[in-house]
Amino acid sequence: ERTVTLSAGVHSFGAAFLNDFYLPDENLDRNLCVDWIEVEGPLDASGDRPPGFDEVFTCTAKGLEDAGCAEQIFSNFGARAWRRPVEQEQIDELLALFGSSLESGGGWEDSVLLGIKAILMSPRFLFRVEFDPEPTTTTSHPLDPFELAARLSYFLWSSIPDEELFQAAADGSLLQDDV
């Protein structure tokens, strides 16, 4: 184990075997196999939150099992990540994951992060999903406002819908011809 002080930025790490020993006549050999290297830090963190933390953690937990705050975070973050409002059934699944993590001894923040990881691993985040209300028909159908907002935003600026576009999808005004 080694503790080193490094400047901010990119660093390379490696391991080398510097004490080779080999006596073939006496059948003596010393070798090394590096199974893994783990880097941990910062060890003296000042408590400053990383950029964007407050945009994701939009509330502060009132206690270890504050599911209300976790629900708010999942709802807000999920809506941005999935480019549409999160349904209550999906929130309930994320809260079950959150509760399971708490029961296993996880802290509140780590349990919320597990739900956030689930959101980011979902096909709804990884792909721009467009749901077909009648999947067995070959007839075309109009996009819903959130699907249209996602198509527009990725066409115009290669990113998720901004707040104004998301709000226009939410209130349905995006589907009006003059908008």
Side-chain angles (χ1 to χ4, degrees):
E1 187 171 318
R2 200 83 182 151
T3 302
V4 295
T5 302
L6 301 171
S7 61
V10 178
H11 297 277
S12 296
F13 298 94
F17 186 49
L18 302 176
N19 189 12
D20 195 16
F21 177 79
Y22 182 57
L23 294 175
D25 296 338
E26 297 177 30
N27 201 23
L28 296 174
D29 192 9
R30 179 176 22 204
N31 293 299
L32 171 73
C33 173
V34 177
D35 189 29
W36 53 272
I37 295 176
E38 180 177 324
V39 178
E40 181 179 330
L43 300 177
D44 61 346
S46 63
D48 292 339
R49 294 177 169 170
F53 182 92
D54 292 330
E55 293 176 30
V56 175
F57 283 81
T58 54
C59 58
T60 304
K62 295 179 178 76
L64 181 61
E65 297 185 25
D66 186 355
C69 182
E71 181 174 356
Q72 178 183 334
I73 291 169
F74 295 150
S75 179
N76 293 341
F77 184 78
R80 301 305 293 154
W82 292 346
R83 300 165 297 278
R84 66 177 41 254
V86 183
E87 297 169 9
Q88 189 57 48
E89 181 181 329
Q90 296 161 329
I91 294 288
D92 293 341
E93 291 171 356
L94 293 166
L95 288 173
L97 190 60
F98 167 80
S100 174
S101 176
L102 285 178
E103 288 175 11
S104 299
W108 185 87
E109 192 173 300
D110 289 335
S111 298
V112 170
L113 287 173
L114 187 61
I116 289 172
K117 287 178 187 177
I119 290 170
L120 295 175
M121 290 173 53
S122 167
R124 292 174 184 262
F125 172 71
L126 298 172
F127 307 104
R128 288 191 308 266
V129 178
E130 295 174 358
F131 294 101
D132 190 342
E134 297 177 32
T136 58
T137 183
T138 58
T139 307
S140 62
H141 66 279
L143 298 172
D144 79 20
F146 294 101
E147 294 167 344
L148 181 58
R151 279 197 182 186
L152 282 170
S153 68
Y154 280 95
F155 173 72
L156 294 172
W157 54 80
S158 301
S159 186
I160 64 174
D162 63 5
E163 193 58 41
E164 184 179 354
L165 187 56
F166 194 81
Q167 187 56 43
D171 65 23
S173 65
L174 185 60
L175 296 179
Q176 297 172 3
D177 289 340
D178 59 331
V179 174

